[in-house]
Amino acid sequence: MQRTTPPFRADVVGSFLRPAAIKQARKQFQSGEIDAAQLRAVEDAEIRRVVDLQREAGLQVVTDGEFRRAWWHFDFFEGLEGVEGYDAVQGIQFNGVQTKARSIKVVSKLGFGSHPMLEDFRFLKSISGTAVPKMTIPSPSVMHFRGGRNAISKEVYPDLKAYFDDLAQVYRDAIKAFYDAGCRYLQLDDTVWAYLCSEDQKKQIRERGDSPEALARTYADVLNKAIAGKPDDLVIGLHVCRGNFRSTWISEGGYEPVAEILFGGVNIDAFFLEYDNERSGGFEPLRFIKKGHQQVVLGLITTKSGELELAKTVESRLAEAAEYLDINQICLSPQCGFASTEEGNSLTEAQQWEKLKLVVDIAARVW
C-alpha cells in the first residue's frame, strides 16, 4: 500500500553531503571575502539543485539538505532566545574521532522568538513543487542532555522543573510557527534515546549524578507536552540516532531498554529508527509500537559508507521486521543523514544518490 501523506514508503532523514560550492562560499564568508547575502545566494542555488535531485531520485519528500547549517543541532539551538553558543574546551567524542569544540549554554529565559530557520523553511517550501517539504530540527531532549544541569544558569532556572516546562513551551511555539509557515512534515532529531540504550553511556550518565531511567521519563514527558494539541494535518517524526560524524558513531545497543516508554508512551506520528548494523539490535522492540496510524521508518541503508546494499538483503530485513509490526506501518529510509555536520560522511555524492534510488526502488517493490 503506497502512502500519499508522510512518512512515505521511501523517505529520507534530512542532511546531504555539502557540495563544493557551499564549502567554498562558507570559507569565503568566514574570511570576509563575501557577505551574508552572497553566501545565502550560493546556498539558495545549491538547495534548488539538491531539491531537484531528490525529486529526480523518485522521492515524494524533499529537504534543504541542511545546507545552511554547520551542525544538525547547534545552529537551531543558538537561534533560540536564552541560548548562547560558545567554543568549548573539547569537542564531542565519537568512536575514534572528535568534533570541533562547540557547545551551548542557557543564559536567560528560554523562548522561540523570530527564529531564522523559519525563513529557511519558507524558501524550501517555495521550491518544493509537488513534493512535501520536510523541516528537521533537534529534539528538546538534546538541548538538555549534553550539558545537563551545568549548562543551565542556576540564577535563571534554580528549579529544573521550570526549565523543562519552558523547554516544552519553546517547542510548542516552534511547532506552531513552522506550521504557520506552511510546514506539514516536521522531524525531531534525537541522539539521547540511543544513549539511553547504551550501557557505556548510561554508566557515564550515572557518574555525573543523573538517572537514565528518570531522564527517559522526563524526556518523554517534555516530548508529549511539546506535541500535545498539534494540528491533525501536521506529521511529526522522531529520528533516533546513535551518532553520525564523519562516518563514526557514539552509542550502541538495541532499543529494548527504552522501547516501552518511547514506542509505547511518546505520542509521535513516526519513528525513524537506525537498523543498518549489529549495533542496532533486533526488531523485537517494535512490538511496543502503537497499532494503527503510527509509522516506523526503518533505516536499513547505511549512510556511513558508500558500499551499496543488496536489495534482496534489505527486503529480507523488512520481512523480519514485519513479524513484529504490520508491514503497512513500516517505511524505508537511509539510517541517518549523509552529513549531520558540514564535514559529511565518507562517501561520494554519486554514492549518496545511488543509495536514495535504492530506497525508492525497494519501496516500490515491497509496497
Side-chain angles (χ1 to χ4, degrees), residues 48-83:
R48 288 180 188 277
R49 188 175 74 89
V50 82
V51 164
D52 287 344
L53 287 170
Q54 288 171 83
R55 294 176 65 189
E56 287 172 18
L59 290 168
Q60 297 168 268
V61 56
V62 292
T63 77
D64 65 2
E66 301 180 6
F67 280 1
R68 303 193 201 275
R69 310 183 205 181
W71 306 81
W72 64 276
H73 52 349
F74 289 146
D75 297 70
F76 177 80
F77 290 144
E78 289 182 36
L80 298 175
E81 295 176 348
V83 179

Side-chain angles (χ1 to χ4, degrees), residues 301-312:
I301 311 292
T302 191
T303 64
K304 289 180 164 41
S305 74
E307 184 179 355
L308 198 62
E309 288 81 355
L310 293 174
K312 64 180 182 181

